[in-house]
Amino acid sequence: MKLYLYKNTSDRRKVGKDLTLVETLDNVLFKENTDILHPVFTFRKDSEENWKNFNYCMLQWGSMTKRYYFIKNIVVEPGGIISISCEVDVLETYKTYIRGLYTIVSRQEYICNKSIRDEQMIIPLNRVIDSVEFEDSVGDGGDGSIILTVSG
Amino acid sequence: MSLILALENGVGYTKSDFLNYQLYDSGVIYTQETDLIYLPTADGRCAVGSYYDGTSDIVYMVSDTPNVFDTAQTYFKLYWYADGTLTNEYEYYIQYSTSYEYDAYTYYVYVFTAQPLGAGVFQVTSRTINSDISVSTISTTDIIETLCAELSEATNPCIDIELYTQGSGTNTLYTFIWSNLQNIPANYTEEDFKIWIGSSDVSGDQGLLVGLTDYEKLKAQYSYGDLHDAMANTQIAVAEENGYFFTSATLLYVDENGDNVVCNTYCFKITTEGTVTSEETETGGDVTINENTSPKENDSYDGGDGSLTEQAEGQEMSVDNLLTTSYVLTEDELVDFGYYLWSNDLQSSIYGYQTSMIENILSCKRIPFDVPGTETTIKLGNIDTNKSASKSSSTHIKDVGSVTPTVYNNSWLAFEPATVISIYLPYIGIEKLQTNLIYYCENVNGLPTVKARTINVKYYFDIVYGSCVACVYTDGVMIASFNGSCGIDIPITASNRASNELSLIKQGANTTASTIGALTSGNVFGALGGFIQGNLEKTIEEKTADIHFTTSGGFSSQVASYLPGNVTLFIEHPNYTEPSTYKHDFGYPCNLSYNLSDLEGFTVLGHNIEIDEIPCLDEERDLLLNILTTGIYL
């Protein structure tokens, strides 16, 4: 297995993160029972510089099987031993399948139905009244007419 | 049953005279292209081909089912015609039967030879199975193999398969969708069939399995990594060298012994860029590749804006100049007439109709517009007063014009209850209009956009009673009407004046009673009951304004004449400015089914979505559901 260490600058909710490879560790072995969703990787670093540059990693086994992880914590031990605690990033790991989903979208940035009431909007209490006057008056503006109605 | 013969020149005949009872109940499938006779039995299918070996006809029947015929008893007759005339009859008796392996499938061959019955020999030249075979070169194996191939192609189970790709490179998702399963063997059903998907070589020979899916699921989905990882080592070497590998979808069924019976293989070549092409390994069914296409179409907004049908014109029912007459007078003419009323001329002209001739005067009103008329003199009863006036029509229509209100919010805020529309109508008051009849949604590029209808107001006047009705139209359709009073009474006599004052008091009392306790004001000037002309209909509502504008008490029409004389539309709406990052941080309500591959930006999925096709762990599935339903960025 290989462990790839990255610098991630994307929001954790992003599908398809912007990753910059920092370092690759070959021949990764599980020396003890490992929670595959919350693994802890321990390795030796001759230089302490690089451990500051990564916040994300990917574990690969086989030619294509990968799991991506957020690095939750880095513990630096004397002697150049570094332990990174990881949490699986399901969005990145299964991004291919996520993009293949066909399902109901309840909110979206671009494809939307604005005629549906939006409960998340914060509407101020003050309201505005606009008016528009019709061009012609009902009366003629003059004295009008006198109408006398008689029998016969 | 009918037996259809296809002769070598392609001319066919039918004959319903078939003797062998074992084939008696069978139907016939005729394929003129191959000059073969297909005789499907109740338990299987068989193809028939024959040739003349120089001595007699030999007929071969190939079936995919054993023991089709009782060999000791089987024979059949063929009737040969030329130009519609029966030329000969032959009986064909079975000589032997054998099994034959072809394309990993066992077929059963039955060989018949002909026994002529009557005089004359009908020379059957080689019936061309293909252009390369003639009588001299036909061998038993060749003809049998040809028949087996024909039967295999015609009867081999097959499906139509579509492959959709979404994404690119190593992030490509492949969706296999199949349908139209055909040529199911006897005693088997769709439930026995499966689709094997995995690596293969170009000939379609199977490699490593990715997934085995029941036919009834009709769909399987795999990532590039899934398909790539299924390659055998030899295939990996080829892929690395050539930049592509093969994946196949194989149709098979499980037979009664539990063995997989391969029917058809559909092979695909996939490049390292994720693109795919089809390789010709299938022998039936249609193969379609849809690159960068989702299997399902996105929803689109198709909510209509409704349609207001234009209404027919009303019918004016005039009561002019029947038992009463209306005259238009100037002020001077009225004053002159008044002098006449009190003159001795009138008193001496009393003809005995009334105790007072003045009681023939029904009403005298001032209305706020000029009324055209025909010059005449005033006739009081049967007395011509010789006082000048104009005879007029009792109805009058005034179109005060149209306005199209501005759309202040292109969203749900444009509609009730967020936006409230009122209208000030001279001689009537302030009334509320239904916002949803003025603002509506229109489909613009697949998304709803708020639009405004054009509002038109017309006044219909009855000048005899001084009443009016204001009708509000949107796009030519009347949506509301309101009653009012525009005629100012001019008292003629003491009793007339008293009557007018009493009417005012009643109006005021009625109006006040309707406004006290409710922050509303209705028809400010009181309704005279509305003298409706023709067939004016109140289609929607006749409401009073509420909440925003209040008046109280009653006014005389004379006072009303001091109020604004133009119709005015008031639109009360939220004072809302959308934050510039709102749509990116929160998105907008969508409520459509969509392929996520066609979306970008902030996206929230519905709460009860199904993500069973994602091959993740259970805990990961919970994480996914939580994240997908709270918001992600695509």
Side-chain angles (χ1 to χ4, degrees):
Chain A
M1 289 182 291
K2 288 185 178 181
L3 186 68
Y4 296 82
L5 303 176
Y6 294 96
K7 179 76 172 179
N8 170 38
T9 56
S10 299
D11 187 287
R12 63 182 294 120
R13 296 168 294 175
K14 181 85 168 77
V15 177
K17 292 181 171 58
D18 186 12
L19 303 175
T20 304
L21 181 64
V22 173
E23 193 170 343
T24 302
L25 303 177
D26 296 322
N27 300 318
V28 175
L29 298 173
F30 289 130
K31 286 190 156 183
E32 56 187 24
N33 296 341
T34 302
D35 178 350
I36 199 66
L37 301 183
H38 304 91
V40 176
F41 299 103
T42 302
F43 48 90
R44 185 189 300 277
K45 290 295 297 174
D46 294 331
S47 166
E48 292 183 350
E49 291 182 0
N50 279 350
W51 69 264
K52 301 175 185 176
N53 296 332
F54 57 84
N55 61 357
Y56 197 85
C57 65
M58 180 264 285
L59 183 67
Q60 177 176 334
W61 62 95
S63 59
M64 284 285 162
T65 308
K66 304 170 185 175
R67 242 189 194 91
Y68 292 85
Y69 299 94
F70 298 106
I71 294 178
K72 303 285 285 180
N73 196 14
I74 299 175
V75 175
V76 181
E77 300 173 19
I81 304 296
I82 295 177
S83 294
I84 56 173
S85 303
C86 303
E87 178 188 53
V88 66
D89 179 4
V90 288
L91 286 184
E92 194 66 18
T93 301
Y94 300 105
K95 62 186 174 189
T96 303
Y97 289 95
I98 289 170
R99 290 203 179 100
L101 287 176
Y102 176 81
T103 183
I104 287 183
V105 177
S106 61
R107 298 187 72 91
Q108 224 285 320
E109 185 168 342
Y110 299 105
I111 307 298
C112 56
N113 185 345
K114 289 187 176 180
S115 62
I116 297 175
R117 186 179 183 128
D118 189 347
E119 300 292 345
Q120 294 193 10
M121 274 186 178
I122 298 175
I123 313 296
L125 290 176
N126 62 312
R127 295 168 65 81
V128 175
I129 299 178
D130 289 288
S131 67
V132 56
E133 189 178 76
F134 284 68
E135 188 173 342
D136 295 332
S137 61
V138 177
D140 291 341
D143 292 332
S145 301
I146 296 173
I147 307 298
L148 178 71
T149 303
V150 302
S151 61
Chain B
M1 69 161 281
S2 300
L3 176 65
I4 301 175
L5 304 180
L7 302 183
E8 64 177 278
N9 60 359
V11 177
Y13 302 92
T14 60
K15 178 63 180 159
S16 60
D17 213 1
F18 200 82
L19 301 180
N20 187 309
Y21 81 94
Q22 286 184 319
L23 299 173
Y24 214 86
D25 294 329
S26 303
V28 174
I29 298 175
Y30 163 63
T31 58
Q32 189 167 9
E33 297 82 15
T34 60
D35 270 4
L36 296 175
I37 307 167
Y38 291 91
L39 298 168
T41 68
D43 297 326
R45 296 177 177 82
C46 62
V48 178
S50 73
Y51 75 92
Y52 176 65
D53 66 353
T55 303
S56 64
D57 287 324
I58 299 176
V59 176
Y60 296 89
M61 286 192 181
V62 174
S63 172
D64 60 3
T65 306
N67 305 319
V68 173
F69 304 116
D70 178 354
T71 56
Q73 302 295 328
T74 299
Y75 75 99
F76 64 92
K77 265 180 141 177
L78 285 178
Y79 295 83
W80 299 91
Y81 291 79
D83 295 329
T85 303
L86 180 66
T87 56
N88 230 317
E89 301 174 8
Y90 283 92
E91 284 184 350
Y92 290 83
Y93 290 86
I94 192 166
Q95 295 301 307
Y96 65 91
S97 66
T98 183
S99 62
Y100 190 84
E101 293 294 321
Y102 176 81
D103 196 22
Y105 197 84
T106 301
Y107 292 93
Y108 302 88
V109 183
Y110 305 89
V111 184
F112 299 76
T113 57
Q115 178 66 42
L117 296 178
V121 176
F122 186 83
Q123 294 274 346
V124 179
T125 58
S126 63
R127 295 199 300 120
T128 305
I129 297 171
N130 65 57
S131 60
D132 294 331
I133 296 178
S134 62
V135 172
S136 60
T137 60
I138 287 179
S139 67
T140 303
T141 303
D142 286 346
I143 193 169
I144 293 174
E145 293 241 326
T146 302
L147 293 177
C148 290
E150 295 280 357
L151 191 61
S152 172
E153 186 169 343
T155 62
N156 204 26
C158 61
I159 53 174
D160 294 338
I161 188 164
E162 292 180 279
L163 176 56
Y164 292 84
T165 71
Q166 294 165 269
S168 62
T170 57
N171 291 319
T172 304
L173 184 70
Y174 300 88
T175 305
F176 299 84
I177 296 178
W178 53 81
S179 63
N180 195 26
L181 175 61
Q182 296 181 351
N183 301 328
I184 301 176
N187 298 328
Y188 292 95
T189 66
E190 284 186 1
E191 293 179 356
D192 298 310
F193 282 83
K194 297 178 189 295
I195 311 297
W196 184 101
I197 294 178
S199 66
S200 68
D201 58 26
V202 67
S203 64
D205 291 338
Q206 294 177 358
L208 299 180
L209 172 68
V210 176
L212 185 63
T213 308
D214 292 336
Y215 172 82
E216 291 174 313
K217 291 281 176 61
L218 300 179
K219 176 184 168 183
Q221 198 173 64
Y222 301 104
S223 67
Y224 178 92
D226 295 331
L227 301 179
H228 185 279
D229 284 357
M231 281 196 291
N233 288 336
T234 53
Q235 294 168 320
I236 292 175
V238 170
E240 290 176 350
E241 181 181 343
N242 298 321
Y244 59 79
F245 60 95
F246 293 100
T247 289
S248 65
T250 300
L251 174 68
L252 56 87
Y253 68 91
V254 182
D255 67 11
E256 55 196 8
N257 299 321
D259 297 323
N260 288 340
V261 179
V262 174
C263 304
N264 248 309
T265 297
Y266 306 87
C267 188
F268 303 94
K269 183 165 78 174
I270 300 175
T271 70
T272 50
E273 284 78 43
T275 59
V276 60
T277 55
S278 172
E279 296 298 305
E280 297 294 329
T281 56
E282 74 280 1
T283 57
D286 294 329
V287 178
T288 309
I289 294 175
N290 304 292
E291 291 205 274
N292 294 315
T293 306
S294 306
K296 294 184 182 179
E297 282 190 19
N298 300 320
D299 283 351
S300 61
Y301 172 73
D302 60 358
D305 56 351
S307 61
L308 301 177
T309 34
E310 197 165 333
Q311 298 154 309
E313 289 288 331
Q315 176 189 355
E316 178 181 343
M317 293 185 291
S318 172
V319 295
D320 295 342
N321 304 312
L322 296 177
L323 298 181
T324 62
T325 305
S326 295
Y327 298 94
V328 184
L329 288 81
T330 65
E331 286 187 357
D332 290 339
E333 288 170 339
L334 182 63
V335 170
D336 188 39
F337 180 69
Y339 287 141
Y340 172 81
L341 291 178
W342 297 106
S343 70
N344 291 330
D345 290 341
L346 176 63
Q347 299 302 320
S348 63
S349 300
I350 289 177
Y351 203 71
Y353 277 97
Q354 303 284 347
T355 56
S356 167
M357 203 59 193
I358 290 176
E359 294 305 321
N360 286 304
I361 298 172
L362 303 181
S363 70
C364 186
K365 294 181 185 291
R366 183 187 289 271
I367 55 177
F369 48 85
D370 294 332
V371 178
T374 309
E375 284 191 9
T376 184
T377 55
I378 301 173
K379 292 177 178 56
L380 200 60
N382 68 335
I383 300 174
D384 191 340
T385 65
N386 291 315
K387 298 299 176 184
S388 63
S390 299
K391 189 180 288 188
S392 76
S393 163
S394 63
T395 60
H396 183 73
I397 301 173
K398 180 66 182 289
D399 188 332
V400 298
S402 302
V403 298
T404 303
T406 303
V407 177
Y408 295 99
N409 290 285
N410 183 20
S411 69
W412 62 280
L413 294 174
F415 303 97
E416 293 179 6
T419 294
V420 178
I421 298 179
S422 304
I423 187 168
Y424 164 71
L425 298 163
Y427 305 104
I428 297 174
I430 299 172
E431 306 287 354
K432 183 175 175 293
L433 296 178
Q434 194 168 350
T435 308
N436 293 359
L437 289 174
I438 295 167
Y439 291 120
Y440 66 100
C441 274
E442 189 175 83
N443 189 337
V444 177
N445 297 324
L447 294 175
T449 302
V450 179
K451 302 273 190 179
R453 290 194 171 94
T454 298
I455 301 171
N456 169 243
V457 177
K458 290 180 184 174
Y459 271 75
Y460 299 84
F461 297 95
D462 184 317
I463 62 175
V464 174
Y465 291 90
S467 64
C468 60
V469 173
C471 294
V472 181
Y473 298 83
T474 58
D475 292 347
V477 178
M478 192 177 81
I479 62 169
S481 68
F482 307 98
N483 301 334
S485 171
C486 65
I488 304 172
D489 281 311
I490 302 174
I492 302 294
T493 64
S495 62
N496 175 247
R497 177 180 174 121
S499 171
N500 290 341
E501 286 178 353
L502 180 60
S503 174
L504 280 175
I505 289 170
K506 285 181 179 177
Q507 285 177 25
N510 289 338
T511 306
T512 302
S514 70
T515 58
I516 288 176
L519 291 177
T520 61
S521 70
N523 298 316
V524 176
F525 312 106
L528 295 181
F531 184 81
I532 307 300
Q533 296 181 15
N535 290 326
L536 292 175
E537 297 176 357
K538 295 177 177 54
T539 57
I540 304 300
E541 61 188 55
E542 190 180 4
K543 290 186 178 177
T544 59
D546 52 36
I547 302 175
H548 312 292
F549 299 94
T550 59
T551 61
S552 63
F555 297 84
S556 68
S557 300
Q558 183 165 12
V559 173
S561 66
Y562 289 97
L563 300 179
N566 285 52
V567 176
T568 305
L569 198 68
F570 295 94
I571 302 163
E572 182 185 337
H573 57 90
N575 183 23
Y576 178 71
T577 302
E578 180 179 298
S580 56
T581 62
Y582 183 85
K583 69 175 186 177
H584 186 70
D585 295 336
F586 296 101
Y588 298 116
C590 178
N591 200 41
L592 295 172
S593 290
Y594 236 82
N595 290 293
L596 296 199
S597 58
D598 296 330
L599 296 175
E600 56 182 29
F602 184 75
T603 304
V604 180
L605 304 190
H607 285 284
N608 293 324
I609 59 170
E610 178 187 21
I611 55 172
D612 287 348
E613 291 177 345
I614 300 180
C616 57
L617 300 174
D618 202 44
E619 186 176 330
E620 290 177 314
R621 196 177 308 281
D622 291 338
L623 288 172
L624 272 172
L625 271 175
N626 181 54
I627 295 173
L628 293 175
T629 56
T630 52
I632 59 174
Y633 289 93
L634 292 170

